[in-house]
Amino acid sequence: MKILSNISLKPYNTFGIDVKARKFVEVTSVEELRETLKNIYASELFILGGGSNMLLTKDVEKTVVHINLKGREIVKETEDEAIVKAMAGENWHEFVCYCINNDFGGLENLSLIPGNVGTAPIQNIGAYGVEIKDSFKSCTAMDLQTLELVTFSREDCKFGYRDSIFKNEAKGRYIITSVNFRLKKKDHQLNTSYGSIDQYLEEKGIKDPTIGDISEAVINIRESKLPNPKELGNSGSFFKNPVVSKEKLEELKEKFSEIPFYVVDEDLVKIPAGWLIEQAGLKGHREGDAGVHKKQALVLVNYGNATGKEILALSEKIQKKVGEMFGVEIQPEVNIF
Ligand code: EPU
C-alpha cells in the first residue's frame, strides 16, 4: 500500500477540477482495501470511484481511497440468461461493450455513461428509458464498521430515480466492491422508443435491430448532445429532473403551454430541468470558465480552469432563476464536496 501526498485530483474527476488530496491511496484488490481501511477511521475516508458524479469545491483533507478493483466473469449461464460479475473499478462503458460483444442484453441503452461499475448503482444510473436496476441482480460491499463483505439484493438497494439505499440510510457505511448483473442471452427486450433511438434506426434503414445497433444509436445521440469529459470537463446532468404534482403542472401549463413532462404516477410528473434552464435563458450561459452547455442545459461544463466554487456558484444562480420563474426547485444530481 503506497500513500501519496498532496496530489492533484484533476485527472480523477471528469469535471477536471484541480484540487489536492492530502493523502491518496489506490487499492487494486479486496484484501488491499481491507488492509487500507484497518488504518483509517471511517470519518477520515473519502472514497473515489470513476469521479464522474462529483464536484470538488476544495482540497480534500480526508484520505482519498481510489477503488481500482478490476475483473469481470460469467458467474452462471443458462440457455436464456447470464449472470455476469464486474468489479467496482471496471469502466462502465467498457463493461457495457463487453456485454454487447458477448450478446448479453440489458445494458445497451446505458452505453457511454461515464464512471465505473461500482458507483453506478449508488445513483441508479439511467438513460433512454432504462436504469441499472432493470438488470441489477446484486452487489457486494465492504461494511466499513466490520470490514466484512455483505451482499445487497435488488430489493435491498431500494432503487428509485437517481436514488438508492446508498444515498440514504446506508450512506457512508459501505464501499461497493462488485456488481452482479442478470443479462439476457436471447429474446432481447429492446427499448427503442425513448429519445429518438427509433428515429436513428429508421434513418439507418435498420429494421431488425440488434443490441449492438441500439448501443450505436445511443452513442450517436449522446455524442450529439452531451460533451465528452475528455474534451470538456463535466459531470453529465448536474441537476435531477424535478418531480411535481399534476396540479402544479396544470398551473405551469397556463403560462407555458409547451412545457414537456413525463408521467411518474397518478399524481406526479417529472419536468426536464434542461427545459426549465433553457427557458430561463441560461443555455450556453458562461461565467469565466464555468458554463451551461450549449446543446444540453442540464449539463454544466468547465471550459478549462473553473474552480469547483465557481461551478457551484453558477449552479446556485441557475436554481434561483428557475425557482423565481417557475416556482420549481431543482436539486443537484452530482455530489458536492
Ligand atoms: N430540453 C430542452 N433544453 C435543453 C435540454 C433538454 O428543452 O437544453 C428538453 C428536450 O427537448 C426534451 C427534454 O428536455 O423535451 C428531455 O431532454 P433529454 O431527452 O435530453 O433528457 P433529460 O431529461 O434532459 C435525462 C437524464 C440523462 C439521460 C437522458 C436520456 C436526468 C437528470 N438526466 O436527461 O442522464 O441521458 O435523460 O435518457 O434524468 C445523466 O444523468 O448524467 C444523464 C446525462
Side-chain angles (χ1 to χ4, degrees), residues 68 85 114 172 234 239 256 277 281 313:
N68 202 13
K85 174 181 177 179
N234 76 88
F239 299 101
F256 310 96
I277 298 166

Side-chain angles (χ1 to χ4, degrees), residues 203-216:
E203 277 166 24
K204 290 271 165 182
I206 300 168
K207 293 208 167 57
D208 197 8
T210 62
I211 56 172
D213 294 327
I214 305 287
S215 172
E216 192 187 300

Side-chain angles (χ1 to χ4, degrees), residues 14-15 52-55 112-114 123 125-128 161-162 167 194 222 225-227 229 233-242 271-275 277 291-293 296-301 311 315 318 330-336:
T14 59
F15 246 127
S52 63
N53 200 40
M54 53 163 56
L55 177 66
L112 213 62
I113 295 184
Q123 54 149 342
I125 58 168
Y128 306 103
Y161 167 59
R162 297 292 191 275
K167 282 183 118 178
Y194 192 96
R222 286 188 76 97
K225 287 205 255 190
L226 297 168
N234 76 88
S235 220
S237 303
F238 192 90
F239 299 101
K240 285 194 269 197
N241 287 334
I271 299 176
W275 184 88
I277 298 166
V292 180
H293 190 47
Q296 163 53 294
L298 193 52
V299 178
L300 301 190
V301 294
I311 303 231
S315 77
I318 295 168
I330 54 172
Q331 289 303 335
E333 194 214 288
V334 302
N335 299 305
I336 298 165

